[in-house]
Amino acid sequence: MDKKPLAVANWKMQLSHKAALQTAKALDQQLKKIELASDVVLAASYPSLPELGKGLKDSPIELAAQHVHWEEKGAVTGFVAANQVDEFVDWCLVGHSETRASLNLSEEQVASSMAVLLQHKITPIVCVGEALEERQAGQTVQKITNQVNVLFNKLDKVSIKKVAIAYEPIWAISTNAPAELPDPAEVASTMLLVRKLAVAAFGAQSAESLRVLYGGSVSPETIDSYVSEPGVNGVLVGGASLHPGKFVDIIKSLQSHAS
Ligand code: PGA
């Protein structure tokens, strides 16, 4: 596959503004020591984005927001619109399971946030994934198919090329204390499902550009088993991405498996 691997650090709400600036600087320094052959994206909290942008002006690290509202603008207290971050970011997470749960987002709202971002030339990284109960009930395929099809209803042959989809089983996120980690072959087959749905909706040529990522307890210890499966174009990393050394090790492993 000729897509550059994509490594996304999701810092969630874990770092103070000061700590975010320091950690980003440390990450940048460590990345400069390796031969970087991946796109590296850092999803930080809104208030830190402008200053991070200045500090990372000469860095390969690109910035992402973690969520935007699904409406263009309006009387919506406490939220942030795509047109308020488009000066600062090239990417944005959409529909992370934690955001979906906190805001009780519908699939339609998630898809609308994605569409608003595309209008502002920000690349959406849309998260999909099943909850533990859904997995146990054998509903993973049905859940992912539904989530992806709602997204695809708002896309076409051109816009699909500007989207990344992260398959992140909700139960596998490190802070959800997974009893076991997802079986890499199972992960690969769900990711293949996403790709097949894209091919069915937009044709093979357009679907080829779509990057499908894996997320959920990715660490230097677990990454190899996932990226050695076919069809994994990148990773979405939470906890381990707060440690520049670990995140760089993850990137190195990702690159070594890219073909
Ligand atoms: P984790 O988080 O890597 O700590 O499991 C991933 C995520 O929630 O995006």
Side-chain angles (χ1 to χ4, degrees), residues 90-158:
D90 294 311
W91 305 78
C92 185
L93 299 181
V94 182
H96 189 281
S97 57
E98 290 153 9
T99 319
R100 288 176 186 258
S102 299
L103 300 175
N104 197 19
L105 296 177
S106 66
E107 300 298 342
E108 199 56 39
Q109 287 166 333
V110 169
S112 296
S113 288
M114 173 193 71
V116 171
L117 286 163
L118 287 167
Q119 280 165 18
H120 288 269
K121 307 217 175 334
I122 299 172
T123 304
I125 304 163
V126 192
C127 305
V128 298
E130 80 286 0
L132 187 58
E133 314 78 71
E134 291 165 331
R135 170 185 154 83
Q136 286 166 342
Q139 292 167 350
T140 302
V141 168
Q142 189 188 328
K143 174 75 183 277
I144 303 303
T145 303
N146 176 50
Q147 288 188 311
V148 166
N149 281 336
V150 175
L151 298 173
F152 287 176
N153 277 339
K154 292 213 189 297
L155 297 172
D156 58 28
K157 276 177 184 285
V158 177

Side-chain angles (χ1 to χ4, degrees), residues 10 12 96-98 168 172-175 215-218 236-240:
N10 178 10
K12 311 191 178 185
H96 189 281
S97 57
E98 290 153 9
E168 193 161 71
I173 293 176
S174 62
T175 44
S217 298
V218 173
L236 174 57
V237 189

Side-chain angles (χ1 to χ4, degrees), residues 153-190:
N153 277 339
K154 292 213 189 297
L155 297 172
D156 58 28
K157 276 177 184 285
V158 177
S159 53
I160 183 68
K161 298 181 183 176
K162 298 177 184 137
V163 171
I165 293 182
Y167 169 55
E168 193 161 71
I170 300 170
W171 53 276
I173 293 176
S174 62
T175 44
N176 293 339
E180 51 171 354
L181 290 185
D183 176 46
E186 238 180 83
V187 164
S189 92
T190 308

